[in-house]
Amino acid sequence: MEDIFKNIENEKLRRRLFFISEIDKMKQIMRKTLLIDGSRQENDAEHSWHLGVMAFILEEYTKEPFSMERVLKMVLIHDLVEIYAGDTFAFDKEANMQKEEREKAAADKLFTLLPEGQGEELRALWEEFDRMDTPDSKYAAALDRLQPFVHNLLTGGHTWVLGNVKLQQVLERSGPVMEILPELKPWMEEQINLAVKKGWIKD
């Protein structure tokens, strides 16, 4: 890609503009999840946008106070490393074994494109999201699991069927959603049971 920013004298501004152009690649990272109309797979950018809207739409149902600003930052950047690491299907055991190593290397490359301080801030938010050990990261991660859950229900269990997914896997994946958004638990459990009966999830 041509460096159209190379003549910008302000180094911080130059690096930020380059980073902004680099993350456009996120629109090319395809996920296993289908769009709800079933027409095609969604990309990482669409997924992250969806989580950002969900964050404030579902705010009142969380069981713990959280920082909306930090959650929005997390959901918008949580998959940026996939620009270099690629998307890892949640139910692919083998691929997930190397996921941490691939994504750490990608984070080393990506976040250092930004000026010192800002890159470190985003790196720290990305790591916090993965740890799921704060109210902010727990809510952000719950949204990340809820969105494909809803898509599965509306696309014939697409990724569940694709991954030959078993009931225990879905329960483990959905657990953080039910914990952080407890009002959703009865509905989610009902939908999971229906998905088993339909053969989308293996019992």
Side-chain angles (χ1 to χ4, degrees):
M1 181 173 63
E2 182 184 358
D3 186 358
I4 62 171
F5 312 115
K6 62 185 178 183
N7 294 329
I8 296 175
E9 293 183 6
N10 184 322
E11 183 188 356
K12 286 185 176 181
L13 177 59
R14 179 181 60 77
R15 292 176 68 175
R16 285 167 173 155
L17 288 172
F18 182 79
F19 179 84
I20 289 168
S21 66
E22 185 73 353
I23 65 172
D24 186 73
K25 294 174 181 176
M26 195 178 190
K27 300 170 187 175
Q28 300 170 10
I29 307 300
M30 307 308 293
R31 294 166 47 81
K32 298 295 185 187
T33 304
L34 291 180
L35 298 185
I36 285 173
D37 69 0
S39 61
R40 63 170 174 83
Q41 293 168 259
E42 71 171 352
N43 64 49
D44 269 355
E46 292 166 331
H47 168 67
S48 297
W49 158 81
H50 213 166
L51 300 191
V53 176
M54 290 169 64
F56 59 82
I57 295 295
L58 298 175
E59 178 179 6
E60 68 180 273
Y61 302 108
T62 59
K63 71 173 191 178
E64 295 181 275
F66 67 92
S67 163
M68 180 63 75
E69 179 182 353
R70 297 186 82 253
V71 167
L72 287 174
K73 285 182 177 180
M74 282 185 197
V75 298
L76 288 173
I77 70 162
H78 79 288
D79 277 342
L80 283 181
V81 296
E82 294 185 359
I83 289 170
Y84 303 134
D87 177 60
T88 305
F89 183 33
F91 299 110
D92 185 334
K93 288 184 179 180
E94 187 175 336
N96 275 279
M97 289 176 66
Q98 292 87 34
K99 179 184 177 184
E100 185 176 350
E101 183 180 342
R102 287 197 319 272
E103 292 194 346
K104 183 181 181 300
D108 291 342
K109 180 178 178 180
L110 181 69
F111 295 121
T112 53
L113 295 177
L114 285 166
E116 186 177 351
Q118 191 169 43
E120 292 169 352
E121 177 198 1
L122 296 193
R123 174 68 179 262
L125 285 167
W126 172 73
E127 291 177 348
E128 181 182 337
F129 174 89
D130 264 7
R131 291 195 309 269
M132 294 175 57
D133 60 358
T134 63
D136 298 337
S137 60
K138 287 177 182 178
Y139 182 42
L143 296 172
D144 186 44
R145 294 170 185 229
L146 174 61
Q147 189 251 11
F149 180 89
V150 173
H151 278 239
N152 263 319
L153 297 177
L154 295 170
T155 57
H158 175 73
T159 65
W160 293 332
V161 174
L162 187 68
N164 197 33
V165 174
K166 297 177 174 58
L167 175 60
Q168 188 58 36
Q169 292 174 283
V170 176
L171 291 174
E172 288 175 4
R173 186 79 184 161
S174 304
V177 185
M178 299 185 203
E179 178 187 351
I180 303 305
L181 298 159
E183 213 167 316
L184 285 177
K185 185 176 180 180
W187 171 76
M188 291 183 72
E189 290 177 337
E190 178 187 21
Q191 295 302 317
I192 290 170
N193 288 333
L194 287 172
V196 170
K197 288 178 182 177
K198 291 175 180 177
W200 299 348
I201 297 170
K202 304 296 181 186
D203 190 355

